[in-house]
Structures are given as C-alpha cells and as structure tokens.
Amino acid sequence: MKQRDIVRILAACLVVVSFSGFVLPKGASAGSKIRTTPTTRSRRKEPATATGCTAYEHLDNVDLKHFEEKMEVELDEQIEQSSAKFTDFKQGRVGWKLPKIHPQQHQTDAKCDPKSSDFSLKHDTACLRYLSDHRNWESITPMASILSQARTIKFKVKMYHQNVTAILKVSQYKFLYEPYAELLAYNLDRLLEVNRIPPVAWVSVPVDWLRAVASTQDAMYTQWVEKFVFSNKVVSKTLKPRCPFKNDATIRASLQLWVDNVVRYRKSEMAVKQGLSKLTGKIDFKETDTFGLSELSSSLVFDYLIANNDRTEKNTFATVDKMIYLDQGSSFYGRDPPRGTPLRITAKHNTSVCVFSKRLKEVLEGYMIDTKLKKELNMKLTDDYPGIWEFVKKWQTGAVQSRLEDFKKIWEYCEKAGLLRLI
C-alpha cells in the first residue's frame, strides 16, 4: 500500500471520530479502553441551566468534611420526627455559601420582583429562567422545622440580585409529593388563570450541596435530612446523575419565589368579618365585602380542586389587593376533596358555600367538557417537565378533573336552592 493511501485512510478515521462527538485522550491508542468525553462542540449544545452539566462545573468539589463528622456522631435517641415525638429546629443563622464564580456569568437583572404579586405566565418566563440557573444562587440555608408551624425539611435560597430569595422543597419520608404538589398546583393555577401562586421553578440540585447545607446545623438535623431524604428507599430511586459522564446524584426540587409584603389573611385589609357565614348565600353582605368574599371563595374552590389538606389560618396569606396561595405541599395525595372543606353537600343536601366568583365559574365550566382540564394539564406537564411522570401519577391529574365535576354538583345544588350568588 502506498504512503498517500495510508494518509487518506487515517484522515477518514479522524473525520469519523470528529463527527462522533468524542476525541481520544492524548497518548491513547485506538484500541485502548478509555472514558469518553464530549468535545467542546457537543458541550456548547448543553444549556447552562439547572439541568445542564456546565452549570455545575464551578462546584465540582464540595467539602463534605463537616457532613461526614456529623454523620458519625452517635445520637442519644432515634430520629423519629413523628407528631408524638418531634424535635423542632430553628432556621439556620449561617447558610452554605456557594463558591463564587466570575461576575460575568451572573445575570445583571434578577427578572423577579419579590414585591410584586402580579403573577401570570407572561411575567413568569424570565423569572423562572433566573431562578433555575444555579449561577445566580449565592447561598442555601436550612429553614425552620417546627411541629406547630411547618414540620417539613426545606431550604431558603438567596440569590445575588435585588434581595431575591426562594423556597426549595424536596421529597422526603412522610411527605413524598411535597415538591411535586407545589409544581402541580402552580401549573393548575396558571391554567385556570387564578394567578395567585408565586412562580415555581423545577430544578435539579446536587445531593452533595444539600448535604453540605444540612451540616451547617447540628448532628441530629444532618442525620434527619440524610435518613428522611437521600437514604429513603422511595426518594433515593428518584435521584438522577448530574451529567451522563459524572457519578454524583441530583435531586429534583421545587423552587418558589419568596414574595414580600405578605401578611396573614385574617390581618389583611381584605379579610371579611364572618366571611364563611356570608359565603352561604343565606345572608346579605355589603358591596364593600364583595371583592374579599370573591377572593376567599376562589381560594376554597382552588384548594378543593387540588385536595389541599393543610389550609389553615397559619398558611392563608394576602397582600393589600389579593390573596396569595402559599404552601400547597400537602395537596394531590388522594382522590377525595380535602378534609373539612366547607365546599360539600351533606347528607341533608346542603352546602355551606354558595357564593362564587363569576369569572372563575366561567373558566371552570370551559374545562368540564370532554375532560379538558386533565388533558391540558397532562400536556403541559409532559411538554415542560421531562421525566415528571416517573414520580407523578396520571391518576392525580385525573382526580383533579373528577373533583371539578363534583364541584359542579355543588353549584347546581346552590342554584336549585336559590342560594347561588355570582360576584
């Protein structure tokens, strides 16, 4: 074989290797076993977001010394964290600071306004993109876990710009659907144009980051997080590799924008005295109560649809001009309406709520045709959140449609009884 023929064959081989997206390391032969690594060209195609490999490169080496030390501590008692035996934890004073990266890699504008409650899909896009990009995260701090207030494991993420913070929720023992419920509720809120839930981003967080965060607290908290989250047999199955060519894991989580200027509903300007009594339709109310009653009624309807079993005074909030729906983590766990809801027809065929928002009723009527609500919600989740059905079940969105059809019976009863009032 002539020399020029050999050159042509070698050149052809190099072209094949180049187009395959992989290159041989220096000094490796074609027949040697090597670990393949994407070329620069293939890496450029990866988005620098929460799901992209490049977003993590500045945090490859997380110091887990404190975590390992606290995991070796022998505790005096078993970690149970049940209602009968629960150890409260205050919010951490010092969070875990992410290593700084080059300022040019940060966005110059947060694209999220914590002082605004003007929520809509139009306004959400830029904010969600900002929240999802780990390069905008400055620190992560364990939030308080107090039995009488909020007992779940969650974290506060501080961003680099404009005092923006967000609440990070993860799946955990006893509260497996916590982040998924927040995500589903947010998407349903936007689909129904209720627009009362702050933007919720869906992010992948390296497990080692949250181990480092947990170790800023004491040994019991650190071991609680490890046992109830990362070592839980159900949650551990949902952990995903950070990148195809890395071995470390990530956990999927909801990240919700923290909204300022929010107060408890009862202390807000829109709180209506004896509001539930006035929603029965059996007594008259002042014109000045109309907006407040409409907001209260709509919140009850929304909680009914998502089967929220944890709406109490402690987590019912409002701004000066609208109610804000926070903490939907206990939703979507069952097929039935939430326990204790005033939206029900009793054995005596009566309901305690017959006053509804006219606009919301019109929107809901449109979604009753041909299981439209379930279909559109499923389509949105499939398109926007790849892999979501590995954990969320189709029966959960189907149950939303079923509860909507049950709710129709309530307002039909109210109409028949002459109690229905649309405001």
Side-chain angles (χ1 to χ4, degrees):
M1 183 179 293
K2 295 181 179 180
Q3 185 175 0
R4 63 182 180 183
D5 293 330
I6 296 175
V7 172
R8 287 175 181 172
I9 292 172
L10 290 174
C13 291
L14 288 173
V15 170
V16 171
V17 172
S18 176
F19 276 98
S20 68
F22 298 96
V23 294
L24 294 175
K26 185 177 180 180
S29 64
S32 61
K33 294 182 179 180
I34 60 168
R35 183 182 182 184
T36 55
T37 305
T39 62
T40 303
R41 177 177 296 181
S42 65
R43 283 183 177 176
R44 286 176 182 167
K45 295 180 181 179
E46 296 167 355
T49 64
T51 55
C53 300
T54 55
Y56 305 106
E57 289 180 351
H58 64 292
L59 293 174
D60 272 340
N61 298 313
V62 176
D63 186 358
L64 294 177
K65 179 181 178 182
H66 295 301
F67 168 79
E68 292 166 354
E69 289 174 349
K70 290 179 179 179
M71 287 299 297
E72 292 177 358
V73 174
E74 292 188 12
L75 302 177
D76 295 333
E77 54 186 348
Q78 286 285 99
I79 300 175
E80 186 176 319
Q81 295 299 78
S82 64
S83 298
K85 189 177 182 181
F86 190 90
T87 300
D88 290 341
F89 292 97
K90 296 181 179 180
Q91 179 163 317
R93 293 183 178 180
V94 180
W96 180 70
K97 297 204 74 173
L98 282 71
K100 292 183 178 180
I101 58 176
H102 198 281
Q104 290 182 351
Q105 291 182 278
H106 295 304
Q107 292 186 11
T108 56
D109 187 359
K111 306 296 182 182
C112 300
D113 186 357
K115 299 184 183 300
S116 173
S117 56
D118 185 18
F119 308 136
S120 69
L121 283 175
K122 178 182 178 181
H123 295 147
D124 289 351
T125 305
C127 180
L128 293 178
R129 188 181 299 116
Y130 174 84
L131 293 176
S132 300
D133 193 337
H134 294 95
R135 295 171 299 180
N136 298 317
W137 297 17
E138 183 177 3
S139 63
I140 309 175
T141 304
M143 293 187 68
S145 298
I146 299 175
L147 180 61
S148 62
Q149 299 177 19
R151 61 186 292 181
T152 58
I153 297 168
K154 51 188 173 293
F155 308 93
K156 179 174 284 190
V157 179
K158 183 179 183 299
M159 306 294 174
Y160 274 104
H161 311 95
Q162 300 169 215
N163 295 319
V164 173
T165 56
I167 306 305
L168 184 78
K169 291 191 173 185
V170 296
S171 296
Q172 55 203 273
Y173 176 58
K174 298 182 181 179
F175 302 95
L176 295 173
Y177 289 116
E178 185 85 4
Y180 298 91
E182 295 289 357
L183 183 71
L184 291 176
Y186 162 72
N187 279 276
L188 184 63
D189 171 84
R190 295 301 189 266
L191 201 60
L192 298 178
E193 301 177 34
V194 176
N195 297 331
R196 293 296 184 271
I197 296 181
V200 176
W202 191 237
V203 298
S204 292
V205 186
V207 169
D208 284 351
W209 292 13
L210 297 184
R211 283 175 170 152
V213 174
S215 65
T216 62
Q217 298 280 64
D218 63 18
M220 184 173 181
Y221 181 88
T222 303
Q223 293 185 31
W224 176 36
V225 172
E226 182 66 27
K227 179 180 179 180
F228 275 38
V229 183
F230 307 123
S231 296
N232 177 268
K233 63 180 181 180
V234 177
V235 179
S236 62
K237 293 179 181 179
T238 68
L239 303 182
K240 300 294 181 182
R242 192 169 74 172
C243 296
F245 49 88
K246 290 184 180 293
N247 296 321
D248 47 355
T250 63
I251 187 170
R252 291 172 179 173
S254 63
L255 186 65
Q256 184 176 60
L257 177 68
W258 179 280
V259 180
D260 297 334
N261 306 321
V262 171
V263 298
R264 299 288 172 102
Y265 169 75
R266 178 171 288 187
K267 296 181 179 180
S268 70
E269 295 180 10
M270 70 174 54
V272 178
K273 190 175 182 180
Q274 297 181 323
L276 286 178
S277 298
K278 293 177 180 179
L279 288 178
T280 61
K282 297 178 181 179
I283 59 177
D284 292 329
F285 49 83
K286 300 177 182 178
E287 185 68 25
T288 53
D289 290 340
T290 300
F291 182 72
L293 290 175
S294 175
E295 287 287 295
L296 180 60
S297 173
S298 295
S299 71
L300 294 172
V301 172
F302 189 78
D303 279 340
Y304 183 94
L305 295 177
I306 66 175
N308 187 357
N309 284 309
D310 189 33
R311 181 68 67 209
T312 61
E313 182 184 348
K314 68 183 181 182
N315 62 1
T316 304
F317 300 95
T319 61
V320 294
D321 61 348
K322 66 179 67 173
M323 290 188 70
I324 302 295
Y325 305 166
L326 301 176
D327 194 6
Q328 280 71 234
S330 294
S331 308
F332 300 98
Y333 275 82
R335 300 177 186 274
D336 297 330
R339 300 183 297 270
T341 176
L343 286 166
R344 63 186 183 276
I345 300 177
T346 67
K348 295 182 179 180
H349 301 288
N350 62 5
T351 174
S352 58
V353 174
C354 281
V355 179
F356 304 107
S357 162
K358 180 179 179 180
R359 182 177 179 278
L360 180 58
K361 180 177 179 292
E362 291 172 350
V363 172
L364 294 178
E365 285 177 319
Y367 280 106
M368 290 180 180
I369 304 170
D370 192 29
T371 63
K372 182 181 178 182
L373 182 58
K374 178 183 71 173
K375 291 177 180 177
E376 291 203 9
L377 184 57
N378 285 352
M379 185 183 303
K380 191 173 190 310
L381 294 173
T382 300
D383 292 344
D384 295 349
Y385 310 99
I388 193 70
W389 300 114
E390 294 177 29
F391 203 82
V392 175
K393 306 302 179 184
K394 291 289 180 69
W395 69 259
Q396 291 174 299
T397 55
V400 176
Q401 184 76 49
S402 298
R403 288 189 291 269
L404 174 58
E405 292 165 2
D406 288 340
F407 174 62
K408 181 182 179 182
K409 298 175 184 176
I410 294 176
W411 81 49
E412 286 177 342
Y413 164 77
C414 291
E415 189 171 25
K416 185 177 180 181
L419 297 173
L420 181 65
R421 294 188 64 175
L422 300 178
I423 54 179

